[in-house]
Amino acid sequence: MNVPAAWYLILAALLFGIGAFGFLTRRSALIMFMCIELMLNAVTLTFVTFSRTMSDIAGQASVFFVMVVAAAEVTVGLGIVVAVFRRRSSTSVDELSELKG
Amino acid sequence: MTAAAYAVPSILVFVTAALLILVGALGVISVKNPVHAALSLIMTLFGVAVAFVAQSADFLAAVQIIVYAGAIVVLFLFVIMFLGVDRNMSVSVEPLVGQRAFAASGVVITVAGLITLMATSHWVSGATSVSGAALASGSGNVKQLGTAVFTTYLFAFEATAALLIIAVVGAVLLARRERHVTPEEVTP
């Protein structure tokens, strides 16, 4: 018998927490993107766990679409990082403060 | 039901996946060098793939390795190499006073709430869906996933095609170096 679903859900919650903490505290745009990937992976792990628990394929189909959106997001995000780096020679998000009120 | 009632192999697989995931994730947020962070991210992604296989999501585990470890992390590494590594971005410097404490307390409250919810709820204890066929175990559900994606979720699947095209065009436009065209250059 497989381990209970709650174990995987708690693991996913911990992974999401680590990703959120990194996103809130790191200042490099590249590391922040990696933390977004960590949070997305926590959510996909939750989807797959519920797909097994509820015996429903819809969870796995959702993970499929989450992966596509993650790939598109990383493509555009890294394009923005490259464009910002051309002007600033830095990927620190603290230096992007023109819109500060 | 105590933990001893579960099969030992599944517990070993879970512990392996959990170690890979958590050590990799902590590496991503703590190391100074972005290249090492990307390699730690690969470790986490492999751990998630192990957890997928353990829960009979074989196709998604393969896609996880191919798309995430094979494409997304390579894209990260490519950009890091392309831009040059920011080695001077220190982890110990705290730009805003008290930011880490606020972030840590918020994250701890959120995760504690999630864990309490997940450990005590009864909706994780075996209520099965009534909307379709039961999920086949092992590699048997690849066919089910394909059928679902190409019938129930066909519109979303087509929309992802449009999304990917838009993302590729946007990335090319963003990463393109602008040329300043002077009027002399555009003579017919």
Side-chain angles (χ1 to χ4, degrees):
Chain A
M1 185 178 173
N2 209 338
V3 297
W7 294 17
Y8 281 105
L9 294 177
I10 289 169
L11 175 63
L14 289 174
L15 179 58
F16 188 89
I18 293 172
F21 181 75
F23 182 79
L24 290 173
T25 54
R26 294 300 299 264
R27 297 269 68 88
S28 164
L30 286 165
I31 305 285
M32 289 171 78
F33 270 112
M34 291 181 200
C35 292
I36 294 176
E37 297 304 314
L38 291 183
M39 290 192 275
L40 281 170
N41 270 281
V43 174
T44 57
L45 185 55
T46 310
F47 266 124
V48 168
T49 305
F50 277 122
S51 176
R52 165 170 76 95
T53 311
M54 310 278 181
S55 186
D56 190 344
I57 199 70
Q60 293 194 18
S62 305
V63 173
F64 185 79
F65 295 121
V66 168
M67 281 179 179
V68 174
V69 172
E73 169 248 327
V74 165
T75 311
V76 176
L78 290 180
I80 292 173
V81 168
V82 170
V84 167
F85 188 83
R86 283 231 178 89
R87 305 211 167 198
R88 305 289 181 126
S89 301
S90 167
T91 60
S92 172
V93 292
D94 275 343
E95 299 182 13
L96 306 175
S97 57
E98 277 87 358
L99 287 179
K100 186 155 63 172
Chain B
M1 191 180 289
T2 59
Y6 302 105
V8 174
S10 66
I11 293 177
L12 283 180
V13 167
F14 174 80
V15 170
T16 308
L19 277 179
L20 282 172
I21 289 172
L22 294 179
V23 171
L26 288 173
V28 169
I29 68 166
S30 61
V31 298
K32 197 185 287 187
N33 191 335
V35 176
H36 297 167
L39 297 178
S40 300
L41 183 61
I42 291 185
M43 190 171 164
T44 297
L45 299 175
F46 267 91
V48 174
V50 170
F52 282 1
V53 171
Q55 307 197 73
S56 65
D58 293 12
F59 176 76
L60 291 177
V63 172
Q64 174 88 4
I65 298 296
I66 294 168
V67 171
Y68 265 111
I72 290 182
V73 176
V74 169
L75 196 61
F76 270 115
L77 287 171
F78 187 79
V79 170
I80 291 168
M81 304 290 179
F82 180 63
L83 299 182
V85 178
D86 285 341
R87 286 186 196 281
N88 52 1
M89 194 161 286
S90 175
V91 183
S92 58
V93 173
E94 193 176 12
L96 296 173
V97 177
Q99 186 191 19
R100 294 227 170 115
F102 274 117
S105 57
V107 164
V108 164
I109 290 170
T110 309
V111 171
L114 278 174
I115 287 176
T116 311
L117 188 66
M118 285 163 175
T120 59
S121 304
H122 292 291
W123 35 260
V124 298
S125 62
T128 56
S129 168
V130 292
S131 63
L135 188 66
S137 66
S139 58
N141 59 32
V142 176
K143 191 179 172 189
Q144 280 183 321
L145 180 60
T147 309
V149 165
F150 281 101
T151 55
T152 316
Y153 304 103
L154 183 62
F155 181 72
F157 185 69
E158 299 287 346
T160 58
L163 177 71
L164 284 174
I165 292 290
I166 293 168
V168 167
V169 173
V172 169
L173 276 178
L174 281 170
R176 196 164 147 258
R177 196 178 291 276
E178 283 198 19
R179 291 182 60 225
H180 295 287
V181 182
T182 54
E184 295 83 50
E185 283 182 75
V186 291
T187 48

